[in-house]
Each structure stands twice: as structure tokens, then as C-alpha cells.
Amino acid sequence: MCGIVGYVGHRDAADVVVEGLRRLEYRGYDSAGIALVHDGHVVARKRAGKLANLDKALADDPLPPAGTGIGHTRWATHGPPTDRNAHPHLGAGGRVAVVHNGIIENFARLRADLERDGHELRSDTDTEVAAHLLEAAVEAGSDLTEAMQQVCRRLEGAFTLVAIDGADPDRVVAARRNSPLVVGVGEGESFLASDVAAFIEHTRDAIELGQDQVVTISRDGVEVTDVDGRPAEAGSYRPYHVDWDLSAAEKGGFDWFMRKEIHEQPAAITASMLGRHDAQGALQLDELRISEEELREVDKIILVGCGTANYASMVAKYAIEHWTRIPCEVELAHEFRYRDPILTRATLVVAISQSGETADTLMAIRHARQQRAKVLAICNTNGSTIPRESDAVIYTHAGPEIGVASTKGFMTQLVACYLLGLYLAQVRGTKYGDEIAQIVGELEQMPAYVQRLLDASEQVHRLAEELSTARSVLFLGRHTGFPIALEGALKLKELAYIHAEGFAAGELKHGPIALVEDRLPVFCVVPPPGRDQLHDKMVSGIQEVRARGARTIVLAEDGDEEVAPYADDLIRLPRVPTLLQPMVAVVPLQLFACELATRMGHDVDQPRNLAKSVTVE
Ligand code: M6R
């Protein structure tokens, strides 16, 4: 969703801000703008549409040199994506400029108050009220930091606000409540952004801010207060060093970030395993801040997440229940708190989120903690809100995921879930050490298996070429193949904008089989033979859809000959245990969605209507 950049320092602020916005494009947006402080005034440009439109506006009417500026990419909430509604928004006299992410819930009342006082608001946005209120405060004699503190005390909702004052070229001031914001600390310069990608080429020293904090950046450094103006307490914000560099945020020769990220999965799995077991295969999750005693007391696990993270949760349930015998529930984060879930001190809530900023998941963990449940986050983004507000965290170490469609994020969420399950089994003694070591050994093989599938991408690409006019695609799976069917369908919906649905294969004859018609492509994820009768039942399901004319695209492990006669296309998977099969089965489905969308001429990294981090509920 919205991307925010703020800068003060010795460089040309317009360059830093526009380049920062370019690195945040992946978050999803529909307009963009910039404001600078120059010669005692604010100067601003903004345009609906992609950054190219803003680039053109800046080329036609260049901004003057400045060392202080803010910028924004907007994902519309209040008012359509027009030039008028694009950020920055200015106060009544044009002295203060503001950019904003989130929703100011009491904006209608504040707007009515402002209009009653004679303010003329020029946009449909909730943001503009903040600009008018801030400007009124500085006009009344407060400095911009004090003004931000006063205004934040009046705002309700979730927001990140970043502001500049034309009369004060030496500072940029920001505040955050339930919305992302990080600070970058350089030599004689400071940065603000929705995430570190915006300033990673200038500095890797960052600060994660706490809730309801106001931050003032200048050439000399950073000051953090609460909204009442008190200096923030030590520990309420956290300096950290970003462990990846600019090259990780670039395409590295691939046409799309998504394709690059699919290909980074072997390395991402390795990074997620690194240091988390000893030479004997015993798990060591040192970073987990929940004691072994507390873990032994857990009597229920609830896994919460949205979209792809929800499908990782579904896979986790199969593995964790099997290895630990602890009952697991899987819950969409946005449904969780509204159904009044039963939570006790012995409940472990596992929140899965690549970005660590998904508002629905954040609200779910807050509810869980209010009810005294323990919360463990599985997250890919250091410095983000969800791990900060959790009791414990397992970072996935996939590196930045920029394509909107999650790929290596999902893959490493699976790794983290497996490690968690095995660690619980170790702590609670539900698996012997040698059994755990064996599974860890199999996880260690995964990078090679995934690489083998990537090396065979050509087969999937040919399939995408043949199916490039398909209007509907189904995905079937059983057991851990069911969430993979759902994930395959989600990838296709997101990227190719076609009807795609995933089903548990056993559910077919209870309704979905009516969808099957001549030449309908149906992907079938076949469990390894030998797991009860799952395999044979899946083969029956494949026969049933084929008998009705479907084109079956079957993903089955090496050596599974039984299924071959019923496969119009057969994609071979490396032989792995059933519980780990999602890690290999998902790869051809990711490649297929990426390639099909490419052939359809879609923007794979920034699909329409979608945002990378969904920071509003
Ligand atoms: O950052 P999160 O993992 O919390 O995001 C959750 C979903 O929004 C995300 O997985 C979404 O479904 C992806 N675009 C799927 O590819």
C-alpha cells in the first residue's frame, strides 16, 4: 500500500525521494507526488498514475534544488486516484506539506470543524485534514515536532504521517500508529520510509520505531518522542543493521522481481535453515524468546495469517499436529478476533506474515495477547510491527520480497513452520532425536530439489504458452497438496486475472466437478505413494475429471508410474516425504503463473488493484 519517503541531508532531496519512491513501487500504488523545502517555501508536484507521470511532470517543470523533502506513492482509499487526491497535501496557506499512509477514522468530524473555521479543503482525502491541522499549529507558534505531537493526539485510526514546514528547512517530522515507518541514519543525512528498500543504497543503519512515537530527523541525527512530547524511553525504539544490500532490491538480470525471487528459493531455504540445528540435527532456535517450560505447557496452537501466509499455516497444521500431537487450528487473521476465539495462557498463536505489517494479522495478535495467549511471529521483515508486538519471532531470512505475489516468502514460511514443529517435538519429546535429525536432513536436501525444478522450467513455460488463452484453471490436491492447490490458484488469480480455484480433491464430487468441461486445464498435486490410501484416491479423482474432458496436468513424484496413464502433462517432482512435498510441488505452480501472466502482457510484479503490504484492515 502507500509508500512514504522523507529526507534531509546534503544530497539533492528530489533525487533521493524519487529514487526512494521507485524502490517502493512494488508496494502497489495509483498516484505519486513529492514536496521539497526551497527558499522558505514548500514546492510540490503530484500526478495520478505511475511514477512515469510524475517523472514527466518533473521534467516539464523541474523542482528547484533542496536538501529536505518528502514523497509518496498512494494506494487510494478516500477518493479516486486523481492529481487532486494524490499526496503531498498542503495546509491552508501552503506552508506545511504532508504525506500519509493509513486511514484517519475521525477525519469527517475534523474536516467539518476545519470547514466551520473557514478552511477550504481541496481534496476528497482524509490526509488533507492533517495538513491543515499541522499548519494551523505551526502558524500558532509551535515547531513542526510539537505540531505533530498535538495533531496526533487528535487523530483516531491507523496512520503514518510525514511532514515538512516551508519555514523550517532543517527537519522532517513523522509519526506512526499501527502503520509502518522506519528511519535511516546516514552521515550528515537522515531518511524516513515505509521500508528500508527506499534508502538501502544510502545507509543500512535503521531504527524501528515504537507505537505512537513522533520522530524528527535532521542532518545531525534523529530524535524520538511520544505524542505527549516526552523523550521516548530506551528500548521503545530499536536501532538495527539491515543484513541485505542494494543488489537484493534489484532484478539482477531477470525480467521480473517475481521470477528472480522464485529462482532465489534454494538460497532462501538455506538461509532460513542456517544456524538452526547442530551437527547432530538437534534444533536450536536460540532467538525464540519463549522458554522450553512454556512451550511444554502449550495445549493448542492457532495459526493466523492472510492469503499465501494462510496457506503456509494450512501446511503447518499437518506437520505440527503429526509431529507434536498438539491440536492446531488455522484461522484467517481477519476473521480471528470477530469470532471470539477460545484463548488461554496455554494457547500459542503463530502469526505468519512476510511483511510483518499486514493490519489484519496485527489486529489478530493484539487480540490474542489481550487474552493472555502467547504469540510467536514468523516473519521476513526485520523491524516490522508484527514481530515487535509478538512474544517471540522466527525470522525467515528470505531477503526482500518485492514481487507482490509471494514466492520465496511462502517457501521460507514453510521452512520456519517445519522448524517450529520439530522444535516443539524435541522440547516435548514427541519425536526421537534421530527422527528429528532425519527430517532436518531431508530439509537440508530441499535447496537441491528446488533447484532441479527451476532448471526444468522450460516444460512449465511451454505449458503456459499452450494455455495462454485459458479462461479458467482448476487445482486439485489432497492432504498437504490441498493448500498447494489453493496457493497455485491464488497465484494465477493475482497475476493472470483469470478464474482459478483450488479444491481438496475429495470435495470434487460434492459440487466442483460440475465446473469441469472439455479441455479445462486441471493441475493435480499427487501425494507420494505409500501414505495410507491418499495416493490412490487422488488418482481416482484425476480419472474422474479426465473422464469429463479435463486436460490433466499432473505433478507426481519420480517413479510414480501409476498416475502416468491419466496425465495429459506430467511434471515430475523429486521424491520427498509427504509432509515436505509442498516445498517442491509449489515451484512449478509459481513458474506457471509467472510465465502465463508474462505471456498475457500483465505487470507481474505489480498486478492490478493489489498492494504488497496490506496495511489497512
Ligand atoms: O505480508 P503478509 O505475508 O502478511 O501478506 C499476506 C498476504 O497479503 C499475501 O500473502 C498475499 O496473499 C500475496 N500477494 C499472495 O501472493
Side-chain angles (χ1 to χ4, degrees):
M1 293 194 155
C2 304
I4 285 181
V5 182
Y7 177 72
V8 52
H10 49 81
R11 298 171 207 267
D12 183 61
D15 287 350
V16 174
V17 169
V18 172
E19 278 318 301
L21 293 181
R22 224 177 288 292
R23 301 220 178 270
L24 298 182
E25 275 193 291
Y26 76 93
R27 298 172 68 88
Y29 71 105
D30 39 41
S31 57
I34 176 172
L36 307 175
V37 178
H38 172 75
D39 202 16
H41 300 284
V42 164
V43 283
R45 307 275 186 275
K46 50 192 194 168
R47 286 292 179 275
K50 291 290 176 187
L51 263 183
N53 297 356
L54 180 66
D55 287 337
K56 180 164 184 319
L58 293 174
D60 294 346
D61 186 8
L63 285 167
T68 304
I70 57 177
H72 191 259
T73 47
R74 173 174 187 250
W75 191 86
T77 55
H78 292 69
T82 57
D83 287 357
R84 202 168 60 93
N85 288 333
H87 299 208
H89 289 282
L90 272 53
R95 173 176 164 182
V96 166
V98 175
V99 294
H100 165 221
N101 178 17
I103 294 177
I104 298 171
E105 286 168 2
N106 58 338
F107 96 99
R109 205 168 58 240
L110 294 170
R111 184 177 177 123
D113 291 349
L114 283 164
E115 285 174 340
R116 219 178 8 256
D117 293 346
H119 287 250
E120 194 184 324
L121 285 99
R122 296 171 286 254
S123 75
D124 309 318
T125 66
D126 50 343
T127 309
E128 198 181 353
V129 299
H132 281 247
L133 291 172
L134 282 168
E135 186 165 300
V138 293
E139 287 289 337
S142 299
D143 66 32
L144 189 60
T145 306
E146 293 159 351
M148 185 66 86
Q149 292 156 354
Q150 290 159 25
V151 170
C152 285
R153 294 200 292 268
R154 296 186 62 186
L155 301 184
E156 291 165 16
F159 52 82
T160 300
L161 289 169
V162 183
I164 49 174
D165 176 358
D168 185 354
D170 295 325
R171 71 172 89 189
V172 179
V173 180
R176 74 169 287 269
R177 177 182 300 160
N178 295 332
S179 183
L181 179 68
V182 282
V183 181
V185 185
E187 289 281 321
E189 59 184 350
S190 306
F191 307 79
L192 292 163
S194 306
D195 68 60
V196 294
F199 54 71
I200 194 74
E201 67 185 291
H202 305 299
T203 180
R204 290 167 68 181
D205 291 320
I207 299 175
E208 73 177 51
L209 294 170
Q211 180 72 335
D212 272 314
Q213 291 189 329
V214 172
V215 58
T216 303
I217 61 164
S218 66
R219 286 173 185 78
D220 305 325
V222 175
E223 273 177 30
V224 187
T225 70
D226 64 18
V227 293
D228 293 317
R230 290 182 291 253
E233 286 173 23
S236 63
Y237 60 96
R238 185 180 72 95
Y240 65 102
H241 188 71
V242 182
D243 59 6
W244 48 272
D245 63 13
L246 181 61
S247 64
E250 294 187 327
K251 285 189 202 155
F254 286 87
D255 52 349
W256 303 112
F257 279 109
M258 182 190 180
R259 207 186 300 273
K260 175 182 173 235
E261 287 157 8
I262 293 172
H263 283 264
E264 283 173 343
Q265 291 181 116
I269 298 168
T270 304
S272 293
M273 296 283 296
L274 199 68
R276 284 174 165 164
H277 62 85
D278 66 17
Q280 284 69 47
L283 272 297
Q284 42 193 29
L285 294 184
D286 299 337
E287 73 263 47
L288 215 64
R289 299 184 300 250
I290 302 181
S291 70
E292 293 194 2
E293 196 184 336
E294 285 170 314
L295 290 177
R296 275 192 281 271
E297 279 163 11
V298 169
D299 64 8
K300 179 169 73 172
I301 295 175
I302 306 182
L303 297 125
V304 295
C306 303
T308 288
N310 174 245
Y311 301 146
S313 304
M314 290 173 72
V315 174
K317 175 181 162 78
Y318 288 94
I320 297 177
E321 283 192 341
H322 182 69
W323 291 333
T324 68
R325 311 312 295 158
I326 306 171
C328 294
E329 293 171 16
V330 175
E331 187 94 28
L332 285 165
H334 35 89
E335 291 294 318
F336 177 68
R337 66 180 165 140
Y338 299 106
R339 72 163 177 92
D340 193 14
I342 299 167
L343 298 162
T344 70
R345 286 172 195 276
T347 310
L348 177 66
V349 172
V350 178
I352 305 185
S353 174
Q354 187 285 131
S355 63
E357 298 294 352
T358 298
D360 293 315
T361 310
L362 179 61
M363 294 308 156
I365 67 167
R366 285 193 182 153
H367 179 78
R369 293 193 78 198
Q370 275 162 10
Q371 309 291 312
R372 305 277 183 271
K374 283 259 170 297
V375 174
L376 183 151
I378 290 178
C379 183
N380 193 40
T381 312
N382 203 333
S384 59
T385 310
I386 289 171
R388 197 175 46 240
E389 295 201 13
S390 299
D391 298 295
V393 57
I394 301 178
Y395 281 110
T396 49
H397 301 305
E401 188 178 67
I402 292 177
V404 162
S406 186
T407 53
K408 63 177 181 173
F410 176 70
M411 183 67 84
T412 53
Q413 284 165 0
L414 294 181
V415 174
C417 289
Y418 292 136
L419 293 177
L420 173 64
L422 293 172
Y423 186 66
L424 286 168
Q426 178 176 294
V427 167
R428 297 163 69 103
T430 51
K431 282 265 164 218
Y432 293 117
D434 59 338
E435 293 171 317
I436 292 172
Q438 191 192 348
I439 304 167
V440 167
E442 278 151 357
L443 282 170
E444 290 287 354
Q445 302 297 313
M446 285 296 164
Y449 292 149
V450 171
Q451 188 59 51
R452 191 196 104 179
L453 291 161
L454 296 174
D455 293 342
S457 309
E458 204 37 52
Q459 181 192 9
V460 178
H461 291 178
R462 268 200 311 277
L463 203 57
E465 187 181 354
E466 288 168 30
L467 296 177
S468 60
T469 55
R471 296 312 309 148
S472 178
V473 180
L474 302 188
F475 295 78
L476 303 180
R478 288 193 85 110
H479 195 263
T480 53
F482 170 40
I484 295 309
L486 295 171
E487 172 65 359
L490 176 63
K491 290 284 97 84
L492 215 52
K493 279 184 261 209
E494 280 187 290
L495 301 176
Y497 319 147
I498 60 175
H499 170 242
E501 276 192 78
F503 296 108
E507 190 65 8
L508 259 190
K509 46 193 172 301
H510 300 287
I513 201 162
L515 290 169
V516 177
E517 58 190 15
D518 208 30
R519 303 312 292 158
L520 177 81
V522 182
F523 282 83
C524 309
V525 182
V526 182
R531 170 55 61 112
D532 305 322
Q533 290 153 17
L534 266 182
H535 176 269
D536 297 351
K537 292 208 158 66
M538 185 70 202
V539 176
S540 306
I542 297 171
Q543 286 175 276
E544 285 160 16
V545 290
R546 200 156 183 269
R548 288 160 179 83
R551 172 174 177 173
T552 56
I553 302 144
V554 175
L555 286 73
E557 73 171 26
D558 292 333
D560 180 355
E561 296 311 332
E562 210 183 315
V563 80
Y566 313 111
D568 293 307
D569 303 274
L570 185 55
I571 297 172
R572 286 298 186 186
L573 303 176
R575 293 179 84 150
V576 299
T578 307
L579 286 169
L580 306 189
Q581 199 198 42
M583 292 180 72
V584 289
V586 76
V587 176
L589 306 187
Q590 297 168 337
L591 288 166
F592 178 73
C594 182
E595 185 62 18
L596 190 73
T598 305
R599 287 180 180 278
M600 289 172 139
H602 296 170
D603 185 335
V604 168
D605 287 334
Q606 295 169 46
R608 70 183 182 200
N609 303 338
L610 292 178
K612 181 66 180 163
S613 302
V614 183
T615 51
V616 293
E617 275 186 277

